[in-house]
Amino acid sequence: MPKTHSPSKVRNGVSEGRRRVVVERLLPEVDGGVRPIRRIPGEPVEVLADVIVDGHEPLRVHLEYRPPGSVAWKSRPMEQDGNDRWRETLVFDRPGTALFRVRAWVDDVAHWQGGFSKKVEAGMTADFPLELAEGAKIIREHAGRAEDEAVRKDLLEWVSRWENRPDSPEAIRLSLDRAMGALAGGIPDPRFVTESPWEREVHIERERALRGAWYEFFPRSAGKIPGRHATLREAMERLPRIAAMGFDVVYLPPIHPIGESFRKGPNNTPDAGPDVPGSPWAIGSRAGGHTAIDPRLGTLEDFQAFLEKAGASGLEVAMDIAFQCSPDHPYVKDHPDWFRRRPDGSIHYAENPPKKYQDIYPFDFLTDDWENLWAELRNVVLFWVDKGIRIFRVDNPHTKPFTFWEWLIREVHQVNPEVVFLAEAFTRPKIMYHLAHVGFSQSYTFFTWKNTRSELVDYLTELTTPPVRDFFRPNLWPNTPDILHATLQKGGRPAFLLRLMLAATLSASYGIYGPAYEWCENVPVREGSEEYLNSEKYEIRHWEPEPDHSLSGVITRINRIRRENPALGWNHTLTFHPVDNDQILAFSKTDPGTGEWILGVVNLDPFHVQTGWLSFSPGGSGDLSVEDLMTGSVYHWSSGRHYIRLDPTDPNLLPFHILRRAS
């Protein structure tokens, strides 16, 4: 005979068979509830629960939550949102790990009061004595379960004032007191209370995990003499200017010793010899490896001075973590089994056919000595954490095991939970999302390759709405030292302006490969390539004096707008608005706390004037006056449709508006 189970199965000493309430779904959830939801302090968690019960009795649904650092659970009622869905919003005020769950039960007191009220309205006086006696019994049972003596006393006094007085209108009125009924209904019989079978985890990281403006530059190019390798001491003199432009984070490519073997020269030419600077991503030489500073840049003391100057300027420093080695790295000699060898005994170098990177050896994460490899790489990160680094931009994390990153990030956060990890992963979306699952705070995106209105709307909607919004934080970059998109190559200064505006306003975090973007560098190494001609990856560049067409003034203004308008610091409030011209994109963001909004309107065509009618009616208003925060111009709009004209061909105009309600 098949094995059967008794309906009186007991769990924790309490019979489960009489629990009528079912919690079917609890949102938000990530990866079926296996992974944590991600937030920063002050960012709302909109909790939804699908809760059902047989019959028609009213339910009480409570959201229970445990804030970071607390061992005690708190509780608050949820509001019904239609179709058996319940809603409540949580906001946590500090980093750490929080939990939430749902408890629900049939509210016997509300059920009795509701039924009795209907009989009173219908004049069914014959039923009053029995109804009052039944209500008194129910409430006394609830009062008996009260842990708070004052609550128990209040409930019993309430009942005593109206029970056994069926002919008194005052008794009937007292018995239907909804506030007292709600107090009693909040003390259910624990045998019949249903707890959600899941607890959801919320990982709250510091603000920089969600928002910030990043500026990337190569310290070796920061000198005043063209062609000469600069030091960190010279590079730190650039920091006040970067801070004055309104950036929050300075990101440095690798600052470690660069290998001499197979060193790449200008435009990635092979076998350039030791006299060229080489690629910073070819890490390691006789001078040291991942915990050393390139001697041409200076010393660890110089780096410490750089960090101090950055902090005094209001900047954080993001360090590049590239877990790979040059052929001259000490690891190659000391740990040869950490690298994969070909049948002829040579070590596999990095390749992305037809590209070859003979100057870079990837680690073999399948080595039998994997535990020591993992421990060493963790120690590298912790070395720089000890020196004061709190942000890491991780190079190509999708080419290393997910389990490694999950372990490493957890290990680092046990030492310092404020460390932020940015994934530089341009790969398949599900892999990028899984890197967020395993702990990366934010990620590069495909924004660089999204240039039409439909591409931008579809992609940004995906990134800023559940389920992706609950675990993945985008950092939008219009360029990097590796990527010069065709839009920038062909669109000139207007393309740089509009892509800057989009990156800085569509996302709470954005970044630029700074000097090249400021100067609107747009020449590829060859037609059809996305690599820069004379790429700074392979040679020292000189970025002075600033050209007339520099974007620094526009960048400064946009970053100031970002700081002065909290709406731009959120992603989940992004909303797109209709325009009857596909070359014009319109969107808004709203600050959840104040309700204030920012409206962005941009011409996606860098070559031609575009016009159209925008539909935008905040709060259903008709007439609307808006101020362009870039220019100070004020526009008075009537009705819900507004005429837009954006001219990228006039050097005195901008191909976009950043608008808010005029004061």
Side-chain angles (χ1 to χ4, degrees):
M1 293 181 62
K3 192 171 184 178
T4 61
H5 298 278
S6 165
S8 60
K9 178 182 176 183
V10 171
R11 182 178 67 181
N12 296 330
V14 179
S15 173
E16 297 179 350
R18 294 174 291 172
R19 289 181 180 167
R20 300 165 52 198
V21 180
V22 176
V23 181
E24 284 200 322
R25 197 173 188 189
L26 182 58
L27 299 173
E29 66 174 17
V30 174
D31 201 15
V34 175
R35 304 290 184 181
I37 299 146
R38 294 185 175 275
R39 294 292 190 269
I40 65 166
E43 184 177 8
V45 183
E46 297 169 353
V47 180
L48 302 174
D50 291 345
V51 186
I52 60 174
V53 65
D54 61 277
H56 304 286
E57 291 96 325
L59 292 180
R60 289 281 288 269
V61 181
H62 277 227
L63 177 61
E64 296 192 329
Y65 59 99
R66 197 174 73 190
S70 175
V71 296
W73 288 85
K74 299 183 178 182
S75 180
R76 64 173 65 164
M78 301 184 75
E79 297 291 330
Q80 194 163 14
D81 201 31
N83 195 24
D84 294 308
R85 171 153 286 189
W86 297 73
R87 179 187 300 270
E88 179 59 18
T89 298
L90 294 173
V91 177
F92 300 104
D93 60 3
R94 62 171 175 160
T97 298
L99 296 172
F100 67 85
R101 65 192 182 195
V102 164
R103 295 175 74 243
W105 60 92
V106 172
D107 189 339
D108 294 323
V109 177
H111 179 54
W112 170 76
Q113 284 186 321
F116 185 38
S117 178
K118 290 179 181 178
K119 292 183 178 181
V120 170
E121 292 175 3
M124 301 171 64
T125 57
D127 296 332
F128 288 2
L130 187 58
E131 288 288 340
L132 287 170
E134 182 178 4
K137 179 176 181 296
I138 292 171
I139 292 162
R140 286 186 179 279
E141 289 173 351
H142 282 65
R145 293 189 290 267
E147 296 181 0
D148 189 318
E149 184 62 35
V151 171
R152 180 186 298 112
K153 181 179 179 182
D154 286 346
L155 291 175
L156 293 176
E157 287 182 354
W158 173 49
V159 172
S160 67
R161 293 169 61 191
W162 52 263
E163 68 176 336
N164 300 322
R165 298 169 59 193
D167 56 346
S168 167
E170 178 64 10
I172 294 172
R173 186 188 65 80
L174 286 171
S175 71
L176 294 176
D177 186 322
R178 297 293 182 177
M180 294 301 295
L183 181 64
I187 317 171
D189 189 328
R191 296 174 299 172
F192 308 139
V193 174
T194 296
E195 288 188 1
S196 58
W198 329 275
E199 292 178 354
R200 301 288 187 236
E201 184 177 309
V202 186
H203 185 55
I204 302 105
E205 296 178 270
R206 67 186 181 100
E207 179 186 9
R208 191 64 67 228
L210 172 68
R211 57 174 73 111
W214 293 50
Y215 186 95
E216 177 180 3
F217 82 107
F218 288 70
R220 69 188 188 185
S221 294
K224 297 185 181 300
I225 301 175
R228 184 178 66 80
H229 196 295
T231 66
L232 286 169
R233 294 280 180 176
E234 292 174 281
M236 61 193 277
E237 299 306 315
R238 296 287 181 93
L239 295 174
R241 176 182 179 274
I242 296 170
M245 282 194 289
F247 287 97
D248 306 296
V249 179
V250 167
Y251 156 51
L252 305 180
I255 56 174
H256 314 299
I258 297 172
E260 296 182 3
S261 299
F262 306 104
R263 181 176 284 189
K264 296 299 183 73
N267 295 312
N268 200 22
T269 54
D271 301 325
D275 293 332
V276 299
S279 168
W281 283 271
I283 297 171
S285 74
R286 288 170 294 180
H290 283 76
T291 57
I293 302 289
D294 189 323
R296 293 168 295 182
L297 287 173
T299 65
L300 280 172
E301 289 74 20
D302 295 326
F303 181 67
Q304 206 70 48
F306 186 94
L307 291 182
E308 292 173 3
K309 182 67 173 283
S313 301
L315 294 165
E316 290 194 65
V317 175
M319 171 170 275
D320 192 283
I321 287 293
F323 282 149
Q324 58 202 31
C325 301
S326 84
D328 306 316
H329 197 296
Y331 289 155
V332 177
K333 177 182 177 181
D334 297 341
H335 300 280
D337 51 343
W338 287 0
F339 305 91
R340 190 159 61 94
R341 295 187 178 271
R342 295 174 180 268
D344 64 358
S346 64
I347 294 178
H348 265 282
Y349 55 77
E351 293 184 272
N352 184 15
K355 297 178 182 178
K356 293 185 177 182
Y357 303 98
Q358 298 93 332
D359 56 338
I360 293 174
Y361 287 169
F363 286 113
D364 178 13
F365 280 85
L366 296 182
T367 175
D368 289 338
D369 195 32
W370 65 272
E371 291 177 288
N372 286 325
L373 172 61
W374 283 27
E376 176 64 15
L377 299 182
R378 173 200 58 195
N379 292 342
V380 167
V381 177
L382 291 178
F383 175 88
W384 295 110
V385 170
D386 183 64
K387 297 295 181 285
I389 293 295
R390 296 294 179 266
I391 305 175
F392 293 96
R393 179 268 196 190
V394 181
D395 189 70
N396 285 326
H398 55 292
T399 62
K400 288 83 177 173
F402 301 126
T403 50
F404 164 72
W405 292 120
E406 187 166 21
W407 172 83
L408 182 141
I409 293 171
R410 184 173 61 247
E411 290 278 301
V412 172
H413 281 165
Q414 287 177 355
V415 175
N416 191 318
E418 291 196 349
V419 175
V420 170
F421 289 89
L422 169 63
E424 186 262 351
F426 299 107
T427 183
R428 300 187 300 281
K430 289 183 180 178
I431 293 178
M432 296 168 70
Y433 293 165
H434 192 71
L435 289 168
H437 287 337
V438 302
F440 279 89
S441 308
Q442 51 180 249
S443 177
Y444 282 39
T445 70
F446 295 123
F447 165 76
T448 314
W449 298 275
K450 306 296 182 182
N451 289 274
T452 69
R453 187 169 81 173
S454 62
E455 288 173 341
L456 288 164
V457 170
D458 291 347
Y459 188 52
L460 270 297
T461 299
E462 176 183 337
L463 297 185
T464 58
T465 55
V468 176
R469 175 256 166 144
D470 290 316
F471 63 86
F472 185 87
R473 300 190 188 101
N475 195 325
L476 305 188
W477 290 68
N479 77 324
T480 75
D482 296 296
I483 303 169
L484 173 64
H485 190 269
T487 298
L488 298 181
Q489 294 177 27
K490 301 180 186 303
R493 190 171 189 270
F496 279 80
L497 286 168
L498 70 91
R499 294 298 291 178
L500 169 70
M501 178 270 189
L502 288 170
T505 55
L506 284 172
S507 176
S509 279
Y510 89 103
I512 58 172
Y513 162 40
Y517 207 91
E518 289 183 68
W519 284 34
C520 300
E521 290 234 331
N522 67 341
V523 181
V525 69
R526 67 185 65 88
E527 183 67 27
S529 171
E530 287 189 341
E531 294 195 40
Y532 282 90
L533 178 66
N534 303 323
S535 170
E536 199 172 1
K537 288 175 59 179
Y538 306 108
E539 59 185 281
I540 295 170
R541 297 290 305 275
H542 189 65
W543 300 106
E544 291 184 347
E546 187 174 343
D548 291 339
H549 63 269
S550 169
L551 299 184
S552 61
V554 178
I555 293 169
T556 301
R557 184 62 184 161
I558 288 178
N559 283 338
R560 180 178 176 183
I561 291 170
R562 281 172 51 92
R563 290 190 173 185
E564 292 178 348
N565 294 273
L568 293 176
W570 302 104
N571 291 331
H572 69 286
T573 64
L574 177 65
T575 302
F576 292 97
H577 302 285
V579 183
D580 63 355
N581 181 342
D582 285 344
Q583 293 295 333
I584 298 177
L585 178 71
F587 57 91
S588 66
K589 283 186 170 182
T590 305
D591 178 36
T594 65
E596 295 180 353
W597 49 263
I598 292 290
L599 174 67
V601 187
V602 58
N603 179 359
L604 301 176
D605 176 3
F607 305 106
H608 305 100
V609 176
Q610 296 292 340
T611 63
W613 288 90
L614 160 69
S615 296
F616 178 70
S617 299
S621 61
D623 294 346
L624 181 64
S625 293
V626 294
E627 176 189 3
D628 188 330
L629 298 177
M630 294 297 299
T631 65
S633 298
V634 175
Y635 303 94
H636 301 286
W637 290 343
S638 59
S639 75
R641 298 180 75 239
H642 318 294
Y643 181 71
I644 301 295
R645 184 182 187 276
L646 292 166
D647 183 359
T649 67
D650 188 335
N652 297 313
L653 300 177
L654 293 171
F656 62 84
H657 296 300
I658 303 176
L659 305 163
R660 73 179 177 193
R661 191 186 301 274
S663 57

